[in-house]
PDB file of all heavy atoms in Angstrom:
ATOM      1  N   LEU A   1      14.625 -20.600 -18.138  1.00 98.00           N
ATOM      2  CA  LEU A   1      15.368 -20.508 -19.393  1.00 98.00           C
ATOM      3  C   LEU A   1      16.826 -20.882 -19.177  1.00 98.00           C
ATOM      4  O   LEU A   1      17.457 -20.433 -18.214  1.00 98.00           O
ATOM      5  CB  LEU A   1      15.326 -19.072 -19.931  1.00 98.00           C
ATOM      6  CG  LEU A   1      14.245 -18.680 -20.930  1.00 98.00           C
ATOM      7  CD1 LEU A   1      14.404 -17.210 -21.311  1.00 98.00           C
ATOM      8  CD2 LEU A   1      14.308 -19.553 -22.176  1.00 98.00           C
ATOM      9  N   GLY A   2      17.364 -21.675 -20.096  1.00 98.00           N
ATOM     10  CA  GLY A   2      18.799 -21.961 -20.124  1.00 98.00           C
ATOM     11  C   GLY A   2      19.379 -21.467 -21.434  1.00 98.00           C
ATOM     12  O   GLY A   2      18.802 -21.716 -22.507  1.00 98.00           O
ATOM     13  N   PHE A   3      20.505 -20.741 -21.369  1.00 98.00           N
ATOM     14  CA  PHE A   3      21.186 -20.240 -22.564  1.00 98.00           C
ATOM     15  C   PHE A   3      22.545 -20.917 -22.693  1.00 98.00           C
ATOM     16  O   PHE A   3      23.196 -21.191 -21.693  1.00 98.00           O
ATOM     17  CB  PHE A   3      21.399 -18.717 -22.480  1.00 98.00           C
ATOM     18  CG  PHE A   3      20.140 -17.919 -22.599  1.00 98.00           C
ATOM     19  CD1 PHE A   3      19.398 -17.590 -21.470  1.00 98.00           C
ATOM     20  CD2 PHE A   3      19.683 -17.503 -23.843  1.00 98.00           C
ATOM     21  CE1 PHE A   3      18.224 -16.850 -21.579  1.00 98.00           C
ATOM     22  CE2 PHE A   3      18.514 -16.765 -23.963  1.00 98.00           C
ATOM     23  CZ  PHE A   3      17.782 -16.436 -22.825  1.00 98.00           C
ATOM     24  N   ASP A   4      22.946 -21.157 -23.931  1.00 96.00           N
ATOM     25  CA  ASP A   4      24.260 -21.753 -24.199  1.00 96.00           C
ATOM     26  C   ASP A   4      24.995 -20.904 -25.229  1.00 96.00           C
ATOM     27  O   ASP A   4      24.640 -20.894 -26.411  1.00 96.00           O
ATOM     28  CB  ASP A   4      24.084 -23.193 -24.699  1.00 96.00           C
ATOM     29  CG  ASP A   4      25.421 -23.891 -24.963  1.00 96.00           C
ATOM     30  OD1 ASP A   4      26.488 -23.280 -24.690  1.00 96.00           O
ATOM     31  OD2 ASP A   4      25.407 -25.037 -25.447  1.00 96.00           O
ATOM     32  N   PHE A   5      26.013 -20.161 -24.753  1.00 97.00           N
ATOM     33  CA  PHE A   5      26.872 -19.378 -25.644  1.00 97.00           C
ATOM     34  C   PHE A   5      28.054 -20.266 -26.020  1.00 97.00           C
ATOM     35  O   PHE A   5      29.091 -20.249 -25.370  1.00 97.00           O
ATOM     36  CB  PHE A   5      27.359 -18.111 -24.926  1.00 97.00           C
ATOM     37  CG  PHE A   5      26.320 -17.032 -24.777  1.00 97.00           C
ATOM     38  CD1 PHE A   5      25.194 -17.222 -23.979  1.00 97.00           C
ATOM     39  CD2 PHE A   5      26.468 -15.823 -25.424  1.00 97.00           C
ATOM     40  CE1 PHE A   5      24.236 -16.219 -23.839  1.00 97.00           C
ATOM     41  CE2 PHE A   5      25.513 -14.815 -25.291  1.00 97.00           C
ATOM     42  CZ  PHE A   5      24.394 -15.015 -24.495  1.00 97.00           C
ATOM     43  N   SER A   6      27.878 -21.091 -27.049  1.00 94.00           N
ATOM     44  CA  SER A   6      28.909 -22.059 -27.415  1.00 94.00           C
ATOM     45  C   SER A   6      29.772 -21.510 -28.546  1.00 94.00           C
ATOM     46  O   SER A   6      29.637 -20.362 -28.956  1.00 94.00           O
ATOM     47  CB  SER A   6      28.282 -23.402 -27.788  1.00 94.00           C
ATOM     48  OG  SER A   6      27.497 -23.279 -28.945  1.00 94.00           O
ATOM     49  N   THR A   7      30.663 -22.330 -29.063  1.00 94.00           N
ATOM     50  CA  THR A   7      31.631 -21.858 -30.056  1.00 94.00           C
ATOM     51  C   THR A   7      30.959 -21.431 -31.358  1.00 94.00           C
ATOM     52  O   THR A   7      31.338 -20.429 -31.956  1.00 94.00           O
ATOM     53  CB  THR A   7      32.661 -22.966 -30.354  1.00 94.00           C
ATOM     54  OG1 THR A   7      33.164 -23.490 -29.117  1.00 94.00           O
ATOM     55  CG2 THR A   7      33.827 -22.427 -31.163  1.00 94.00           C
ATOM     56  N   GLN A   8      29.948 -22.191 -31.799  1.00 94.00           N
ATOM     57  CA  GLN A   8      29.372 -21.962 -33.117  1.00 94.00           C
ATOM     58  C   GLN A   8      27.984 -21.347 -33.109  1.00 94.00           C
ATOM     59  O   GLN A   8      27.484 -20.945 -34.153  1.00 94.00           O
ATOM     60  CB  GLN A   8      29.328 -23.289 -33.892  1.00 94.00           C
ATOM     61  CG  GLN A   8      30.703 -23.909 -34.083  1.00 94.00           C
ATOM     62  CD  GLN A   8      30.667 -25.103 -35.015  1.00 94.00           C
ATOM     63  OE1 GLN A   8      30.076 -25.040 -36.084  1.00 94.00           O
ATOM     64  NE2 GLN A   8      31.294 -26.194 -34.627  1.00 94.00           N
ATOM     65  N   GLN A   9      27.355 -21.263 -31.937  1.00 96.00           N
ATOM     66  CA  GLN A   9      25.977 -20.782 -31.905  1.00 96.00           C
ATOM     67  C   GLN A   9      25.578 -20.357 -30.495  1.00 96.00           C
ATOM     68  O   GLN A   9      26.284 -20.632 -29.528  1.00 96.00           O
ATOM     69  CB  GLN A   9      25.019 -21.869 -32.404  1.00 96.00           C
ATOM     70  CG  GLN A   9      25.024 -23.120 -31.526  1.00 96.00           C
ATOM     71  CD  GLN A   9      24.140 -24.221 -32.066  1.00 96.00           C
ATOM     72  OE1 GLN A   9      23.096 -23.958 -32.637  1.00 96.00           O
ATOM     73  NE2 GLN A   9      24.543 -25.473 -31.884  1.00 96.00           N
ATOM     74  N   ILE A  10      24.434 -19.685 -30.410  1.00 97.00           N
ATOM     75  CA  ILE A  10      23.763 -19.469 -29.123  1.00 97.00           C
ATOM     76  C   ILE A  10      22.457 -20.244 -29.179  1.00 97.00           C
ATOM     77  O   ILE A  10      21.723 -20.176 -30.175  1.00 97.00           O
ATOM     78  CB  ILE A  10      23.449 -17.983 -28.849  1.00 97.00           C
ATOM     79  CG1 ILE A  10      24.718 -17.169 -28.680  1.00 97.00           C
ATOM     80  CG2 ILE A  10      22.623 -17.854 -27.573  1.00 97.00           C
ATOM     81  CD1 ILE A  10      24.442 -15.721 -28.304  1.00 97.00           C
ATOM     82  N   LYS A  11      22.169 -20.964 -28.107  1.00 96.00           N
ATOM     83  CA  LYS A  11      20.917 -21.716 -28.010  1.00 96.00           C
ATOM     84  C   LYS A  11      20.170 -21.269 -26.765  1.00 96.00           C
ATOM     85  O   LYS A  11      20.782 -20.805 -25.791  1.00 96.00           O
ATOM     86  CB  LYS A  11      21.176 -23.225 -27.898  1.00 96.00           C
ATOM     87  CG  LYS A  11      21.840 -23.844 -29.102  1.00 96.00           C
ATOM     88  CD  LYS A  11      21.786 -25.359 -29.040  1.00 96.00           C
ATOM     89  CE  LYS A  11      22.722 -25.936 -27.999  1.00 96.00           C
ATOM     90  NZ  LYS A  11      24.074 -26.130 -28.500  1.00 96.00           N
ATOM     91  N   ALA A  12      18.857 -21.449 -26.788  1.00 98.00           N
ATOM     92  CA  ALA A  12      18.039 -21.240 -25.594  1.00 98.00           C
ATOM     93  C   ALA A  12      17.052 -22.391 -25.483  1.00 98.00           C
ATOM     94  O   ALA A  12      16.474 -22.817 -26.489  1.00 98.00           O
ATOM     95  CB  ALA A  12      17.291 -19.920 -25.667  1.00 98.00           C
ATOM     96  N   ILE A  13      16.870 -22.889 -24.271  1.00 97.00           N
ATOM     97  CA  ILE A  13      15.877 -23.929 -23.990  1.00 97.00           C
ATOM     98  C   ILE A  13      15.000 -23.429 -22.849  1.00 97.00           C
ATOM     99  O   ILE A  13      15.515 -22.962 -21.828  1.00 97.00           O
ATOM    100  CB  ILE A  13      16.539 -25.266 -23.606  1.00 97.00           C
ATOM    101  CG1 ILE A  13      17.112 -25.964 -24.841  1.00 97.00           C
ATOM    102  CG2 ILE A  13      15.553 -26.193 -22.897  1.00 97.00           C
ATOM    103  CD1 ILE A  13      17.754 -27.314 -24.554  1.00 97.00           C
ATOM    104  N   ALA A  14      13.694 -23.527 -23.039  1.00 97.00           N
ATOM    105  CA  ALA A  14      12.743 -23.193 -21.979  1.00 97.00           C
ATOM    106  C   ALA A  14      12.123 -24.481 -21.451  1.00 97.00           C
ATOM    107  O   ALA A  14      11.688 -25.323 -22.238  1.00 97.00           O
ATOM    108  CB  ALA A  14      11.657 -22.263 -22.510  1.00 97.00           C
ATOM    109  N   ILE A  15      12.112 -24.620 -20.121  1.00 96.00           N
ATOM    110  CA  ILE A  15      11.447 -25.770 -19.506  1.00 96.00           C
ATOM    111  C   ILE A  15      10.369 -25.254 -18.545  1.00 96.00           C
ATOM    112  O   ILE A  15      10.451 -24.124 -18.049  1.00 96.00           O
ATOM    113  CB  ILE A  15      12.427 -26.689 -18.738  1.00 96.00           C
ATOM    114  CG1 ILE A  15      13.124 -25.939 -17.586  1.00 96.00           C
ATOM    115  CG2 ILE A  15      13.456 -27.290 -19.679  1.00 96.00           C
ATOM    116  CD1 ILE A  15      13.925 -26.841 -16.646  1.00 96.00           C
ATOM    117  N   ASN A  16       9.370 -26.093 -18.308  1.00 95.00           N
ATOM    118  CA  ASN A  16       8.345 -25.710 -17.336  1.00 95.00           C
ATOM    119  C   ASN A  16       8.700 -26.266 -15.958  1.00 95.00           C
ATOM    120  O   ASN A  16       9.776 -26.853 -15.776  1.00 95.00           O
ATOM    121  CB  ASN A  16       6.946 -26.161 -17.797  1.00 95.00           C
ATOM    122  CG  ASN A  16       6.833 -27.684 -17.930  1.00 95.00           C
ATOM    123  OD1 ASN A  16       7.629 -28.449 -17.367  1.00 95.00           O
ATOM    124  ND2 ASN A  16       5.837 -28.126 -18.688  1.00 95.00           N
ATOM    125  N   ASP A  17       7.802 -26.104 -15.014  1.00 93.00           N
ATOM    126  CA  ASP A  17       8.099 -26.488 -13.629  1.00 93.00           C
ATOM    127  C   ASP A  17       8.285 -27.994 -13.483  1.00 93.00           C
ATOM    128  O   ASP A  17       8.926 -28.458 -12.545  1.00 93.00           O
ATOM    129  CB  ASP A  17       6.972 -25.995 -12.710  1.00 93.00           C
ATOM    130  CG  ASP A  17       7.483 -25.638 -11.318  1.00 93.00           C
ATOM    131  OD1 ASP A  17       8.627 -25.157 -11.218  1.00 93.00           O
ATOM    132  OD2 ASP A  17       6.742 -25.850 -10.338  1.00 93.00           O
ATOM    133  N   ALA A  18       7.730 -28.774 -14.425  1.00 93.00           N
ATOM    134  CA  ALA A  18       7.888 -30.235 -14.397  1.00 93.00           C
ATOM    135  C   ALA A  18       9.114 -30.679 -15.200  1.00 93.00           C
ATOM    136  O   ALA A  18       9.298 -31.873 -15.437  1.00 93.00           O
ATOM    137  CB  ALA A  18       6.625 -30.908 -14.940  1.00 93.00           C
ATOM    138  N   LEU A  19       9.939 -29.734 -15.627  1.00 93.00           N
ATOM    139  CA  LEU A  19      11.199 -29.969 -16.348  1.00 93.00           C
ATOM    140  C   LEU A  19      11.007 -30.476 -17.774  1.00 93.00           C
ATOM    141  O   LEU A  19      11.935 -30.999 -18.377  1.00 93.00           O
ATOM    142  CB  LEU A  19      12.125 -30.917 -15.577  1.00 93.00           C
ATOM    143  CG  LEU A  19      12.444 -30.573 -14.122  1.00 93.00           C
ATOM    144  CD1 LEU A  19      13.548 -31.496 -13.595  1.00 93.00           C
ATOM    145  CD2 LEU A  19      12.882 -29.129 -13.967  1.00 93.00           C
ATOM    146  N   HIS A  20       9.816 -30.322 -18.309  1.00 92.00           N
ATOM    147  CA  HIS A  20       9.598 -30.668 -19.720  1.00 92.00           C
ATOM    148  C   HIS A  20      10.082 -29.519 -20.602  1.00 92.00           C
ATOM    149  O   HIS A  20       9.816 -28.350 -20.304  1.00 92.00           O
ATOM    150  CB  HIS A  20       8.116 -30.924 -19.994  1.00 92.00           C
ATOM    151  CG  HIS A  20       7.606 -32.186 -19.380  1.00 92.00           C
ATOM    152  ND1 HIS A  20       7.726 -33.416 -20.000  1.00 92.00           N
ATOM    153  CD2 HIS A  20       6.992 -32.417 -18.190  1.00 92.00           C
ATOM    154  CE1 HIS A  20       7.196 -34.351 -19.220  1.00 92.00           C
ATOM    155  NE2 HIS A  20       6.749 -33.775 -18.113  1.00 92.00           N
ATOM    156  N   VAL A  21      10.788 -29.855 -21.681  1.00 93.00           N
ATOM    157  CA  VAL A  21      11.229 -28.826 -22.616  1.00 93.00           C
ATOM    158  C   VAL A  21      10.014 -28.294 -23.369  1.00 93.00           C
ATOM    159  O   VAL A  21       9.259 -29.050 -23.971  1.00 93.00           O
ATOM    160  CB  VAL A  21      12.273 -29.390 -23.613  1.00 93.00           C
ATOM    161  CG1 VAL A  21      12.605 -28.350 -24.682  1.00 93.00           C
ATOM    162  CG2 VAL A  21      13.535 -29.810 -22.877  1.00 93.00           C
ATOM    163  N   VAL A  22       9.834 -26.970 -23.323  1.00 95.00           N
ATOM    164  CA  VAL A  22       8.673 -26.326 -23.933  1.00 95.00           C
ATOM    165  C   VAL A  22       9.018 -25.773 -25.309  1.00 95.00           C
ATOM    166  O   VAL A  22       8.276 -25.970 -26.277  1.00 95.00           O
ATOM    167  CB  VAL A  22       8.163 -25.186 -23.011  1.00 95.00           C
ATOM    168  CG1 VAL A  22       6.997 -24.443 -23.670  1.00 95.00           C
ATOM    169  CG2 VAL A  22       7.754 -25.741 -21.653  1.00 95.00           C
ATOM    170  N   GLN A  23      10.147 -25.056 -25.404  1.00 96.00           N
ATOM    171  CA  GLN A  23      10.569 -24.491 -26.684  1.00 96.00           C
ATOM    172  C   GLN A  23      12.085 -24.412 -26.744  1.00 96.00           C
ATOM    173  O   GLN A  23      12.750 -24.332 -25.700  1.00 96.00           O
ATOM    174  CB  GLN A  23       9.973 -23.079 -26.881  1.00 96.00           C
ATOM    175  CG  GLN A  23       8.518 -23.071 -27.324  1.00 96.00           C
ATOM    176  CD  GLN A  23       7.963 -21.658 -27.469  1.00 96.00           C
ATOM    177  OE1 GLN A  23       7.706 -20.994 -26.482  1.00 96.00           O
ATOM    178  NE2 GLN A  23       7.766 -21.215 -28.700  1.00 96.00           N
ATOM    179  N   GLU A  24      12.611 -24.440 -27.975  1.00 96.00           N
ATOM    180  CA  GLU A  24      14.053 -24.305 -28.200  1.00 96.00           C
ATOM    181  C   GLU A  24      14.298 -23.329 -29.347  1.00 96.00           C
ATOM    182  O   GLU A  24      13.525 -23.300 -30.304  1.00 96.00           O
ATOM    183  CB  GLU A  24      14.679 -25.665 -28.566  1.00 96.00           C
ATOM    184  CG  GLU A  24      14.567 -26.727 -27.489  1.00 96.00           C
ATOM    185  CD  GLU A  24      15.234 -28.040 -27.897  1.00 96.00           C
ATOM    186  OE1 GLU A  24      16.410 -27.987 -28.307  1.00 96.00           O
ATOM    187  OE2 GLU A  24      14.574 -29.084 -27.830  1.00 96.00           O
ATOM    188  N   PHE A  25      15.367 -22.552 -29.242  1.00 97.00           N
ATOM    189  CA  PHE A  25      15.717 -21.575 -30.268  1.00 97.00           C
ATOM    190  C   PHE A  25      17.234 -21.562 -30.427  1.00 97.00           C
ATOM    191  O   PHE A  25      17.962 -21.888 -29.492  1.00 97.00           O
ATOM    192  CB  PHE A  25      15.242 -20.164 -29.869  1.00 97.00           C
ATOM    193  CG  PHE A  25      13.771 -20.065 -29.582  1.00 97.00           C
ATOM    194  CD1 PHE A  25      13.284 -20.289 -28.295  1.00 97.00           C
ATOM    195  CD2 PHE A  25      12.876 -19.764 -30.593  1.00 97.00           C
ATOM    196  CE1 PHE A  25      11.926 -20.208 -28.023  1.00 97.00           C
ATOM    197  CE2 PHE A  25      11.508 -19.680 -30.334  1.00 97.00           C
ATOM    198  CZ  PHE A  25      11.030 -19.902 -29.043  1.00 97.00           C
ATOM    199  N   SER A  26      17.692 -21.131 -31.612  1.00 97.00           N
ATOM    200  CA  SER A  26      19.148 -21.031 -31.794  1.00 97.00           C
ATOM    201  C   SER A  26      19.485 -20.010 -32.874  1.00 97.00           C
ATOM    202  O   SER A  26      18.659 -19.692 -33.728  1.00 97.00           O
ATOM    203  CB  SER A  26      19.760 -22.394 -32.157  1.00 97.00           C
ATOM    204  OG  SER A  26      19.329 -22.798 -33.435  1.00 97.00           O
ATOM    205  N   VAL A  27      20.726 -19.510 -32.789  1.00 98.00           N
ATOM    206  CA  VAL A  27      21.303 -18.628 -33.799  1.00 98.00           C
ATOM    207  C   VAL A  27      22.688 -19.164 -34.130  1.00 98.00           C
ATOM    208  O   VAL A  27      23.515 -19.356 -33.223  1.00 98.00           O
ATOM    209  CB  VAL A  27      21.414 -17.172 -33.283  1.00 98.00           C
ATOM    210  CG1 VAL A  27      22.290 -16.330 -34.215  1.00 98.00           C
ATOM    211  CG2 VAL A  27      20.033 -16.548 -33.144  1.00 98.00           C
ATOM    212  N   GLN A  28      22.929 -19.445 -35.404  1.00 97.00           N
ATOM    213  CA  GLN A  28      24.231 -19.936 -35.862  1.00 97.00           C
ATOM    214  C   GLN A  28      25.099 -18.752 -36.279  1.00 97.00           C
ATOM    215  O   GLN A  28      24.662 -17.943 -37.098  1.00 97.00           O
ATOM    216  CB  GLN A  28      24.056 -20.871 -37.068  1.00 97.00           C
ATOM    217  CG  GLN A  28      23.106 -22.034 -36.844  1.00 97.00           C
ATOM    218  CD  GLN A  28      23.761 -23.181 -36.113  1.00 97.00           C
ATOM    219  OE1 GLN A  28      24.969 -23.345 -36.183  1.00 97.00           O
ATOM    220  NE2 GLN A  28      22.965 -23.959 -35.398  1.00 97.00           N
ATOM    221  N   PHE A  29      26.295 -18.652 -35.743  1.00 98.00           N
ATOM    222  CA  PHE A  29      27.139 -17.489 -36.034  1.00 98.00           C
ATOM    223  C   PHE A  29      27.493 -17.395 -37.523  1.00 98.00           C
ATOM    224  O   PHE A  29      27.313 -16.358 -38.144  1.00 98.00           O
ATOM    225  CB  PHE A  29      28.422 -17.521 -35.196  1.00 98.00           C
ATOM    226  CG  PHE A  29      28.182 -17.515 -33.710  1.00 98.00           C
ATOM    227  CD1 PHE A  29      28.972 -18.279 -32.859  1.00 98.00           C
ATOM    228  CD2 PHE A  29      27.173 -16.748 -33.149  1.00 98.00           C
ATOM    229  CE1 PHE A  29      28.761 -18.270 -31.495  1.00 98.00           C
ATOM    230  CE2 PHE A  29      26.946 -16.735 -31.775  1.00 98.00           C
ATOM    231  CZ  PHE A  29      27.741 -17.510 -30.945  1.00 98.00           C
TER     232      PHE A  29
END
């Protein structure tokens, strides 16, 4: 899992062992 606490939102990206993006989520402040 990678999380991004940026200026306008928080995002999360999940990748599998082959580095393919599996799911993405976000919350807009």
Side-chain angles (χ1 to χ4, degrees):
L1 267 180
F3 290 90
D4 182 4
F5 285 66
S6 65
T7 311
Q8 300 188 47
Q9 63 183 325
I10 294 184
K11 296 192 288 274
I13 284 182
I15 61 170
N16 62 19
D17 212 34
L19 307 189
H20 290 275
V21 173
V22 177
Q23 281 179 286
E24 298 181 52
F25 304 89
S26 67
V27 168
Q28 305 279 334
F29 300 141

